[in-house]
Amino acid sequence: MFSNLSAGALGLPLVHTTAIDLAAAHGFGGVDPDPEYFRSLGSTGAVAEHAAEVRERGLEWGMAGLPVPLDAPAARFREALVDLPAALELLQAAGVTRVGTWIRPMHDSLDHRQNWRLHAGRLSLVAELLADAGLRLGLEYIGPKTFWSTERFPFIHGLREARELIADSGATNVGLILDSYHWYTAGESAEDLAGLTDADIVSVDINDARDDRERDEQQDLDRRLPYATGVIDLAGFMAAVHTAGYTGPVKVEPFMKELAEQPVDEVLADISARLDRAVAGE
Amino acid sequence: MFSNLSAGALGLPLVHTTAIDLAAAHGFGGVDPDPEYFRSLGSTGAVAEHAAEVRERGLEWGMAGLPVPLDAPAARFREALVDLPAALELLQAAGVTRVGTWIRPMHDSLDHRQNWRLHAGRLSLVAELLADAGLRLGLEYIGPKTFWSTERFPFIHGLREARELIADSGATNVGLILDSYHWYTAGESAEDLAGLTDADIVSVDINDARDDRERDEQQDLDRRLPYATGVIDLAGFMAAVHTAGYTGPVKVEPFMKELAEQPVDEVLADISARLDRAVAGE
Amino acid sequence: MFSNLSAGALGLPLVHTTAIDLAAAHGFGGVDPDPEYFRSLGSTGAVAEHAAEVRERGLEWGMAGLPVPLDAPAARFREALVDLPAALELLQAAGVTRVGTWIRPMHDSLDHRQNWRLHAGRLSLVAELLADAGLRLGLEYIGPKTFWSTERFPFIHGLREARELIADSGATNVGLILDSYHWYTAGESAEDLAGLTDADIVSVDINDARDDRERDEQQDLDRRLPYATGVIDLAGFMAAVHTAGYTGPVKVEPFMKELAEQPVDEVLADISARLDRAVAGE
Amino acid sequence: MFSNLSAGALGLPLVHTTAIDLAAAHGFGGVDPDPEYFRSLGSTGAVAEHAAEVRERGLEWGMAGLPVPLDAPAARFREALVDLPAALELLQAAGVTRVGTWIRPMHDSLDHRQNWRLHAGRLSLVAELLADAGLRLGLEYIGPKTFWSTERFPFIHGLREARELIADSGATNVGLILDSYHWYTAGESAEDLAGLTDADIVSVDINDARDDRERDEQQDLDRRLPYATGVIDLAGFMAAVHTAGYTGPVKVEPFMKELAEQPVDEVLADISARLDRAVAGE
């Protein structure tokens, strides 16, 4: 696995080329691809050239966002499918292999069974289109009760159900985005991660939680940097990720606005060190 | 349909024979069967005789509790199956045709899919055993958010999922226990009841809600007598029940402890009048 | 309900305008729409005009084919979705309200569960897109064992499973194409049709079967005209369709090549009379 | 893994003690338990003593039959549950850890979805009762088309669906009975066995097929001894079983009546040698 600079996940408004420079400067192993930047290059040839340069700097690609809203109304979902090949062509040209999205853990009108069928059907279709383009899809389940309990019908908010949804899709190119914050807020343990293999994981996020809140009071968008509070058992989490033989990106997504107000080099040096610790498995 | 005296649902500690006398005296159309009393009679012949007397007094049987805990550990569920034929024999001897239970709307370790499979499998088996004894089974979904949101995995807490579970069971002798309180707290409307037939409904409960609480703040065990506050649209609810052609018992289950402290004849005269209003469809 | 001239189902190579003339001449109540012809008219205005003329001649529209292959590889399915709005716009302009397709009753590599998920997911998406255009979708299950047993994994080949698939799709604009030939070859009876309503049926086909073959030996593409052999209980079948309150088209699909070799007026006079008998419910 | 003498599977009418003597004499690694014999011993103490003697002779227990008919009518299924604890007590006393049954691959009235729900629900319940007694349950899928195509609704007849049923049961003590004959007739390859672990396999059967019949013409009850015809790729099959790290019994179930007419020592010497070859992985 490798540490990955995801400026978006850090809330840092970096342009793509700057992010690459900073990723290289601070010793990250990878950087997130930027589909908008790829598009701006004007041709798949130019994208491939750009990607070659990034590789030459020792950086792998992290994960791009899935450009299809899985649970949108059918008309909007269809439109996203219309546009999909152009997006996939750029990602393929760049050699990106991972895209990801998250599962909204509740719905106000679709109950669990209805929402499951919606997701399973859409997921199966999208996964096959991604597979045709050599891409894997990561799905992130969302753990905080303060989020999934806010609408009438709670939906997937734990690992087991996320894995069953993936199995139900019949796709072999779909896996998890494992985020220690969701794993913790979902009340899961290292044991729940047993049996996972590299094929089951598309991306890994490490975050810590506030130490002045109980588990069920934690907010999805108010987290702490990994190893900051020790609320989350990151050692146990990362040990399981290592045991799984995971080979992909590890990033931080703390939803801490103050990061954007600090000197970027300080922030990235800190983040890089924290990720190195996780990747080393200490 | 007919008004039904369910002493248990009213929280009144009446012995079975007294309940029958009071049901007749206050003009109820039916009264709940009492399996314990049946057992005490010592023979199916005596039970049949007792039932004939109840019928002669113009009373139909309401609904007995299902003597099988659908979601118990397998060992305990098995034990209940061992004992089931003896219980069913007494109910059959008495001419009882309705038994019922409720669906616990959350679970701390089984997620929605796991809990669904548990219920669907057990329900299917129990329904077939009940059908062999000429009994129908009513299932009650539980609506209040203050209840289903208290554990890690919310489960069925609305009409549509309850109906899907019943369909999934493959049984033709399973229907709903429709309670206006759950219908209201689940955020449902008269439209949601459209299309129901008598075969879909095994029992009907009418209750009102406190008028000093929002819908999502209502407590399962703190209700009001039907038509007391007007919070719940009982006219719309009962109109849908009439449209369905429902022919079974209608009862009140207010969870108001103070009823047991009032003169029983006053309480029953009041309840009977409220039920008559519902049955009349005014 | 009304008798419908479907030249395609009869194997008659009639151009659309001729089919309309013949439908009117032979007293059919409806005629199939022809999307190719609509397209050739060049504008939705012209299509609407054409449709008005057809209506003025006393003809309703039968059913168009669904222009989306439900079980195609994802890439081809996506392409069909790309093209769908243009097709739907023409159908809408013409006032067509019914499109239909059939369910392939076996698969060589997808087992029943996998194929179910494929169909349920695709169906749900397509149904919502059709609903946005005011269209209903009819699904035809295929009954002959000589067909469903020819590959490794038999799939839906009976009414109950077809209805469950429709329910699973969550769509309210999907119903059955009921064909007496499939109903017979699936070993079903009038009882199996009980409970159906007009909302459950999008189209009705009546055909008879060869009288020199057992049920399980009947071939999908070798049938007889309705009432020809009496093998199929068309009286029972149509009685159930009447009981359902069905209001849509009834057509014949005999797969008899010899029809194309006979004088078309003779053929259509005969077909029209047979359909009138069915519609009259004799 | 170890070679196992299953007299029943060989069609040899051996009393239990003779089977044990012969298993020891011919170098088998295990022998099937005989619940009837256990019962005849009169006490769990005597059963435990008997089991200790068998172990002392170097023999492990193979697999007992599951004493519950998974797809029986509910009343008969319930009766089997009533009797189950007594049967499990004897198996536990003997130290037996494996019981097994097969999945009937078709049904005349329950379609695939209905039959699935029946099996999943019953299986889940039975598995939990077995787990309470320390037992694992093996499920055998049946491959021959000449069998699954004989009734109206084919059911599970391949590995993937069998594994999904097991996953659906939610049980961790249920696995497969892998029979090379079903694997071959189901059209499966060594690749289909990839990813299996010891926890997924409860028993292994090796058999060969007639070489004068096509795959789809093979009969379930007319097989050949392993390595006899070479029709079935037993090398590939056993290589996958070895890769899975399988630790349980391997037996032969040829359904060849002529075996019972041959000298038993000759038959068992031959069977033992064939099993040794498989266990050795040559």
Side-chain angles (χ1 to χ4, degrees), chain D residues 223-248:
Chain D
R223 311 174 180 182
R224 290 296 173 264
L225 290 177
Y227 308 105
T229 59
V231 169
I232 299 182
D233 172 23
L234 282 171
F237 178 80
M238 286 308 303
V241 170
H242 274 91
T243 300
Y246 176 60
T247 60

Side-chain angles (χ1 to χ4, degrees), chain A residues 234-249:
Chain A
L234 283 170
F237 179 81
M238 286 308 304
V241 170
H242 275 91
T243 301
Y246 176 61
T247 60

Side-chain angles (χ1 to χ4, degrees), chain C residues 34-49:
Chain C
D34 181 343
E36 275 308 310
Y37 180 80
F38 294 172
R39 199 168 297 125
S40 74
L41 293 177
S43 75
T44 54
V47 170
E49 243 174 81

Side-chain angles (χ1 to χ4, degrees), chain D residues 61-72:
Chain D
W61 288 126
M63 183 173 65
L66 173 70
V68 180
L70 281 183
D71 58 356

Side-chain angles (χ1 to χ4, degrees), chain A residues 144-261:
Chain A
K145 183 176 180 176
T146 55
F147 196 39
W148 60 251
S149 64
T150 56
E151 294 183 7
R152 195 163 150 207
F153 297 111
F155 190 48
I156 295 173
H157 54 282
L159 178 67
R160 206 210 63 81
E161 284 198 306
R163 294 187 73 182
E164 183 175 335
L165 178 68
I166 292 169
D168 232 27
S169 78
T172 55
N173 63 325
V174 182
L176 297 159
I177 299 175
L178 272 187
D179 184 328
S180 62
Y181 195 77
H182 297 307
W183 170 76
Y184 156 71
T185 50
E188 291 160 355
S189 68
E191 210 172 287
D192 292 306
L193 302 171
L196 290 174
T197 68
D198 188 37
D200 297 316
I201 311 174
V202 172
S203 187
V204 167
D205 290 14
I206 53 169
N207 299 288
D208 211 335
R210 285 179 53 157
D211 55 8
D212 55 350
R213 285 180 179 153
E214 294 298 308
R215 197 184 67 195
D216 282 353
E217 291 162 358
Q218 300 284 357
Q219 305 287 324
D220 192 33
L221 304 184
D222 187 3
R223 311 174 181 181
R224 290 295 173 266
L225 290 178
Y227 307 105
T229 59
V231 169
I232 299 182
D233 173 22
L234 283 170
F237 179 81
M238 286 308 304
V241 170
H242 275 91
T243 301
Y246 176 61
T247 60
V250 185
K251 71 172 189 287
V252 179
E253 190 172 29
F255 291 105
M256 292 168 67
K257 284 177 193 170
E258 54 268 44
L259 292 188
E261 295 153 14

Side-chain angles (χ1 to χ4, degrees), chain A residues 55-135:
Chain A
R55 265 196 307 279
E56 270 163 37
R57 300 182 68 174
L59 295 169
E60 300 199 44
W61 288 125
M63 183 173 66
L66 174 70
V68 180
L70 281 183
D71 58 357
R76 206 176 125 221
F77 178 76
R78 191 201 74 88
E79 276 162 29
L81 292 186
V82 171
D83 298 337
L84 188 60
L88 298 187
E89 192 184 28
L90 293 175
L91 293 174
Q92 265 193 298
V96 172
T97 61
R98 298 166 200 261
V99 296
T101 192
W102 55 286
I103 306 167
R104 197 163 180 277
M106 69 280 186
H107 203 284
D108 223 25
S109 58
L110 293 182
D111 59 41
H112 195 287
R113 303 279 293 183
Q114 293 175 307
N115 209 359
W116 186 276
R117 286 189 281 256
L118 179 79
H119 277 81
R122 302 271 183 94
L123 178 59
S124 176
L125 176 60
V126 168
E128 191 176 337
L129 295 169
L130 293 176
D132 292 347
L135 284 159

